[in-house]
C-alpha cells in the first residue's frame, strides 16, 4: 500500500480507515512485509470526524475516498479537519473520480472479471440529477484449501465532483488550492480526465 511504501522511505505514518476489518488486513500485510506491529499507527475513524494527536506535515487521501463523501458540506468539513491537523504550510494531496468517469465510463455499466482466486461482478447505476453513482459489487472468494467459493455482496455510493466544486470547498475550508493533475501524469486535467489529483496547502497557522 501507499502507507507501507512511505514507511519504507523513512516517513512516520498514520493510517485512518472507517472499517476495522480493512485495518486488520493492513496490519497483517505489514507483518508479512517485515514491518513490526505498531510501526504504523492505525486509527479506526470516520474521515468526516477524524482526530489526530497533533499536527502533521502532510495528509494523503487516495483511492477515491473523497467520492464516498456524498454531501458537499460533509466534504468541506473533511477539508476543515485536514486544515486543522496540518502543520503550517503542510501539504494535502488527494484524488477523486470525475463526473466524466461516472457519467461516460462507469454509468449504467456492468464490469465482470473471472480470476483463479476470486471473481467479481460490478453493476453501476448513475443518477445524474444527484450526481451519485451506486454500485453493487458481488465478490466470489475461493475458500482456503477448498474448491468452493464464498459469495459476498456490497453496495457503495459515490458522489461525482468536478474540479471547480472541489476548488471552492478547499478555499471555504481555509486551505489554499495549489494545483491539479490528470491522474498518473504531470498534465493539467481535461474534460475527459477520469481521475484528478489535487494538491492543497495549509495557509500558515499562527505559532
Amino acid at each position: 500500500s501507499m502507507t507501507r511504501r512511505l514507511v519504507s522511505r523513512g516517513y512516520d505514518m498514520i493510517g485512518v480507515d472507517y472499517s476495522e476489518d480493512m485495518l486488520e488486513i493492513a496490519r497483517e500485510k505489514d507483518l508479512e512485509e517485515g514491518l513490526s506491529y505498531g510501526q504504523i499507527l492505525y486509527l479506526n475513524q470516520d474521515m468526516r470526524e477524524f482526530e489526530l494527536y497533533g499536527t502533521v506535515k502532510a495528509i494523503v487521501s487516495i483511492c477515491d475516498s473523497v467520492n464516498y463523501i456524498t454531501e458537499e458540506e460533509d466534504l468541506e468539513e473533511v477539508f476543515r479537519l485536514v486544515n486543522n491537523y496540518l502543520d503550517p504550510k503542510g501539504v494535502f494531496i488527494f484524488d477523486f473520480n470525475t463526473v466524466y468517469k461516472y457519467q461516460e465510463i462507469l454509468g449504467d455499466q456492468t464490469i465482470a472479471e473471472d480470476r483463479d482466486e476470486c471473481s467479481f461482478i460490478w453493476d453501476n447505476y448513475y443518477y445524474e440529477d444527484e450526481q451519485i453513482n451506486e454500485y453493487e459489487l458481488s465478490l466470489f472468494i475461493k475458500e482456503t484449501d477448498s474448491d468452493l467459493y464464498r459469495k459476498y455482496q456490497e453496495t457503495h455510493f459515490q458522489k461525482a465532483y468536478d474540479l471547480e466544486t472541489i476548488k471552492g470547498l478547499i478555499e471555504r475550508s481555509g486551505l489554499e488550492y495549489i494545483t491539479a493533475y490528470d491522474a498518473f501524469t504531470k498534465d493539467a486535467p481535461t474534460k475527459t480526465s477520469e481521475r484528478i489529483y489535487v494538491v492543497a496547502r495549509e495557509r500558515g497557522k499562527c505559532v
Side-chain angles (χ1 to χ4, degrees), residues 60-73:
V60 178
S61 175
I62 57 172
C63 299
D64 49 80
S65 297
V66 160
N67 295 104
Y68 281 96
I69 307 300
T70 58
E71 299 293 337
E72 289 186 15
E73 57 266 33

Side-chain angles (χ1 to χ4, degrees), residues 187-198:
D187 300 329
T190 68
K191 291 181 179 179
T192 58
S193 293
E194 297 179 28
R195 183 188 298 267
I196 293 175
Y197 277 84
V198 175

Side-chain angles (χ1 to χ4, degrees), residues 130-166:
E130 298 88 355
Q131 292 187 308
I132 295 290
N133 191 72
E134 174 185 354
Y135 66 87
E136 296 178 358
L137 186 61
S138 297
L139 296 163
F140 302 87
I141 310 295
K142 189 175 183 180
E143 297 282 276
T144 304
D145 300 323
S146 171
D147 290 329
L148 299 177
Y149 288 75
R150 186 176 296 275
K151 182 180 179 180
Y152 300 88
Q153 288 185 292
E154 300 177 354
T155 300
H156 296 254
F157 296 91
Q158 290 190 319
K159 170 81 171 179
Y161 290 102
D162 57 62
L163 184 56
E164 290 308 309
T165 298
I166 291 291

Side-chain angles (χ1 to χ4, degrees), residues 28-59:
E28 291 172 1
K29 289 190 176 292
D30 289 350
L31 296 176
E32 289 172 7
E33 295 187 20
L35 275 66
S36 59
Y37 187 84
Q39 191 169 346
I40 299 171
L41 172 62
Y42 288 110
L43 302 176
N44 181 207
Q45 296 182 351
D46 186 325
M47 66 190 297
R48 293 168 296 184
E49 302 172 338
F50 79 90
E51 296 181 73
L52 303 181
Y53 298 106
T55 58
V56 293
K57 293 180 180 178
I59 293 177

